Amino acid sequence: MEKGLVIINTGDGKGKSTAAFGTAFRALGHGYKVCVIQFIKSPSDYGEILSAKKFEDLEWHTEGRGFTWNSDDLEKDKAVARKGFELAKEKINSDKYDLIILDEITYLTNYKFIDIEELLTILNNKPDRLNIILTGRDADSKLIEIADTVTEMKKIKHCFDDGIKAKKGIEF
Ligand code: ATP
Ligand code: MG
């Protein structure tokens, strides 16, 4: 059995989540079981969620209520995040998956919705074969330390700065 990896996609450039979903696509091709848990974002008709329904071996959970800088109630955000985190723990410990993606999880530790030490313990004790991808800006240095592969997406340009709004099929 090959040892699974802990992978982090971080940085301020575009491509953290989509690179993770690309890996899911690759893993599914090999018959791997994949679970995606998306934090922060609220359920909506995102292209990736619509696509996910087409894959039998792909499970998708959306455990958020929108981006926190728009939040009207941080306590509610925290409760939703905690619930998502409990689900993540359950999925990780189930040993039913080959790849689990924790999308935008860095916000949970950065906003102190969850304890970084608790996340580190879970990652350090994950089932051997399981690969885990964590995405989000400003990944904590303690996460970077224990990860096997860390990539920083660096913004060179983003069309958003030229006033081009989020584009269907590209951003959502
Ligand atoms: P993607 O989902 O496109 O791979 P991402 O996961 O790297 O992006 P997030 O921080 O999760 O980036 O951003 C959420 C949304 O903001 C996405 O629609 C993404 O395309 C867009 N985005 C990413 N980077 C930037 C940026 N530097 N400036 C403006 N918008 C961005
Ligand atoms: Mg993202």
Side-chain angles (χ1 to χ4, degrees), residues 71-162:
S71 184
D72 51 349
D73 190 340
L74 269 179
E75 278 311 306
K76 217 181 254 176
D77 288 343
K78 186 175 176 177
V80 172
R82 286 269 359 151
K83 187 177 148 273
F85 187 56
E86 290 304 318
L87 178 74
K89 275 201 267 186
E90 185 193 313
K91 296 294 177 187
I92 289 168
N93 294 329
S94 74
D95 199 11
K96 280 188 190 153
Y97 306 92
D98 303 284
L99 172 63
I100 293 182
I101 296 172
L102 305 176
D103 191 36
E104 318 297 349
I105 194 165
T106 60
Y107 296 96
L108 270 56
T109 53
N110 293 346
Y111 282 97
K112 309 255 186 295
F113 287 169
I114 62 168
D115 179 14
I116 182 83
E117 296 302 330
E118 196 182 349
L119 177 58
L120 291 168
T121 304
I122 290 159
L123 295 173
N124 283 326
N125 295 292
K126 70 170 185 60
D128 253 358
R129 67 173 174 138
L130 175 64
N131 298 283
I132 301 183
I133 306 181
L134 309 139
T135 88
R137 293 181 182 208
D138 304 311
D140 193 288
S141 58
K142 288 181 176 171
L143 286 174
I144 290 173
E145 202 180 304
I146 65 150
D148 299 289
T149 298
V150 181
T151 302
E152 181 178 13
M153 271 61 177
K154 180 178 182 297
K155 184 178 89 164
I156 306 289
K157 264 184 163 186
H158 196 291
C159 64
F160 186 79
D161 299 332
D162 291 326

Side-chain angles (χ1 to χ4, degrees), residues 17-31:
S17 297
T18 45
F21 305 153
T23 309
F25 186 65
R26 177 175 278 171
L28 289 162
H30 292 290

Side-chain angles (χ1 to χ4, degrees), residues 38-43 61-67 77 80-81 84:
Q38 273 190 304
F39 298 98
I40 311 294
K41 277 182 186 164
S42 47
H61 303 272
T62 311
E63 301 290 329
R65 54 186 299 272
F67 276 94
D77 288 343
V80 172

